[in-house]
Amino acid sequence: MKHLISLKSSYDEDLFVIKWRITRLCNLRCSYCVQSHSRQEYGREKMEAETETLLCAAADISALMDRLDCKKAKLEFVGGEVSLFDLEEILSRVTSEKLARVQLTTNFMRGADYYNSLASYLSGRGVELTMTCSFHYEFIDMDAYFAKALAVRGGCTIFACEMVSNEDNQMLCATFRDRCEELGLDYSIDEDIRMEKAHLRGEGRLLGCGRRVRKSPRYVAVLEDEDGTRHEQVYMTRNDFVTDGSIRENFRNKVIKTGGYVCTQSWDYLYVEVDKAVGRTATSKDCTNRMPISEFVQIAPCECVRNGCTLCGQMSLLPKNGS
């Protein structure tokens, strides 16, 4: 086992990341999903009411971007399923000129026109679009998925395919990987993270792999072997780091232990739950305080406020003793 000495993000230091979970509703019920989805119907009145909430929150986020001490901002949409809503309408309320990039994580069930229209709209504003599109094989066949991927990827700065690897779909995962390679698509195959499947991961019985094209590594870690030898290891994505089981400070449930470290990038990332900010402020005692978006303030680098972190989009961890 290796010991983590430090972890440095190579991400753009001027980019503030806002991860916005706009809903927990989803229009699919995948058997392997780890989320607990609402069973409420998508009635018109309900969706209209939720849209109004999101439009107001979008305006608040735009105002937040304007007052942040950064040159540009990235807005990540996550759910539930984000494409249940008109994202163009929501983004029309984010008028801040600091908005530089929009990241979309979607089950890719909408038509290609939906995603291409969004890409065209953002391009007209000078904003990049990146997409992570999940292949949910229980609801769409592979040929249809890849046909749509080829029709959409041209409008994205980064376009990545992904699927979940479980005990029932190993041959399909291998085919998915081969098709992505054949078509030149970035991809990731993530092992089933449900707790009851832990033995399958531990025994190496689930296929997991990825090919991500990046100009530079996302993270650089300094590791120490058991004999005291230190060396650097690069990771192309955050997920590559958090799923590296050879590091002691790492969990398979994607929580990074920070009890022995100081976070030197403690204010460059904000999580928003629909219309409430979840982040670290000058007075908050933990990372889960919910507050009006307008109350969020940036704070200087400091000790992590709890022993495990799942929120940091850009991290630089150093031991508390400064070594």
Side-chain angles (χ1 to χ4, degrees):
M1 297 291 287
K2 299 180 180 67
H3 180 72
L4 176 65
I5 301 301
S6 67
L7 175 68
K8 177 64 178 177
S9 170
S10 60
Y11 211 58
D12 189 339
E13 294 181 356
D14 293 326
L15 185 70
F16 190 96
V17 179
I18 300 176
K19 185 172 185 176
W20 188 11
R21 185 176 295 279
I22 66 174
T23 184
R24 291 192 178 274
L25 294 173
C26 184
N27 52 350
L28 301 182
R29 293 292 182 268
C30 300
S31 62
Y32 47 85
C33 183
V34 298
Q35 301 292 333
S36 176
H37 296 305
S38 170
R39 295 290 177 176
Q40 295 177 333
E41 296 295 327
Y42 305 106
R44 174 177 294 182
E45 291 184 2
K46 176 178 176 55
M47 296 303 292
E48 288 179 351
E50 290 205 8
T51 296
E52 285 303 313
T53 298
L54 295 173
L55 291 174
C56 292
D60 291 339
I61 289 174
S62 182
L64 169 65
M65 288 181 182
D66 285 334
R67 70 173 188 272
L68 288 173
D69 184 20
C70 65
K71 293 182 180 179
K72 51 189 176 181
K74 174 185 178 182
L75 184 57
E76 296 185 3
F77 285 102
V78 295
E81 177 47 42
V82 301
S83 69
L84 291 174
F85 299 90
D86 185 344
L87 294 180
E88 284 188 47
E89 182 182 16
I90 292 171
L91 283 165
S92 70
R93 301 294 181 93
V94 184
T95 57
S96 174
E97 293 184 358
K98 291 183 179 180
L99 180 63
R101 191 177 309 159
V102 171
Q103 162 69 29
L104 197 66
T105 300
T106 172
N107 62 22
F108 212 37
M109 296 301 292
R110 296 291 292 259
D113 288 347
Y114 175 90
Y115 303 105
N116 285 332
S117 176
L118 179 62
S120 178
Y121 168 72
L122 290 173
S123 177
R125 293 178 53 179
V127 178
E128 295 180 351
L129 174 65
T130 65
M131 287 180 58
T132 300
C133 300
S134 300
F135 170 50
H136 294 296
Y137 58 91
E138 294 178 338
F139 298 94
I140 186 173
D141 67 75
M142 190 175 291
D143 288 339
Y145 172 88
F146 281 116
K148 192 187 301 184
L150 294 176
V152 171
R153 68 170 175 176
C156 302
T157 302
I158 298 174
F159 182 91
C161 306
E162 70 171 7
M163 71 174 295
V164 174
S165 171
N166 59 48
E167 56 192 321
D168 300 320
N169 70 353
Q170 294 302 284
M171 292 185 64
L172 192 63
C173 284
T175 302
F176 176 81
R177 175 197 60 200
D178 294 344
R179 289 287 299 277
C180 288
E181 292 283 0
E182 176 187 347
L183 297 171
L185 293 165
D186 296 346
Y187 65 90
S188 65
I189 299 175
D190 298 327
E191 297 174 359
D192 193 328
I193 65 171
R194 289 177 294 176
M195 293 300 294
E196 65 271 21
K197 305 300 178 183
H199 69 284
L200 296 173
R201 298 192 300 271
E203 296 167 5
R205 292 165 56 189
L206 298 181
L207 175 64
C209 57
R211 182 183 71 92
R212 302 280 191 171
V213 177
R214 296 288 187 273
K215 294 181 179 179
S216 61
R218 180 67 170 81
Y219 292 103
V220 179
V222 176
L223 305 176
E224 184 177 78
D225 296 330
E226 293 183 357
D227 62 2
T229 303
R230 292 190 178 186
H231 59 93
E232 286 189 354
Q233 184 165 330
V234 299
Y235 296 94
M236 301 308 291
T237 69
R238 179 173 183 260
N239 193 59
D240 291 341
F241 167 73
V242 298
T243 56
D244 185 348
S246 68
I247 301 175
R248 284 195 197 119
E249 284 75 17
N250 222 346
F251 280 68
R252 281 196 175 272
N253 62 1
K254 302 187 179 180
V255 175
I256 298 174
K257 294 173 70 175
T258 56
Y261 296 88
V262 171
C263 178
T264 64
Q265 299 286 349
S266 57
W267 49 257
D268 65 346
Y269 184 88
L270 175 65
Y271 175 81
V272 177
E273 177 70 36
V274 182
D275 63 348
K276 291 287 190 262
V278 181
R280 303 180 62 186
T281 70
T283 58
S284 67
K285 295 181 179 180
D286 56 58
C287 289
T288 58
N289 272 356
R290 283 174 168 77
M291 70 202 89
I293 296 171
S294 59
E295 292 183 8
F296 177 80
V297 295
Q298 294 169 300
I299 60 175
C302 61
E303 288 189 9
C304 293
V305 293
R306 65 182 196 178
N307 290 331
C309 182
T310 60
L311 301 181
C312 287
Q314 175 180 332
M315 296 172 296
S316 179
L317 302 178
L318 295 174
K320 287 182 179 178
N321 60 15
S323 62

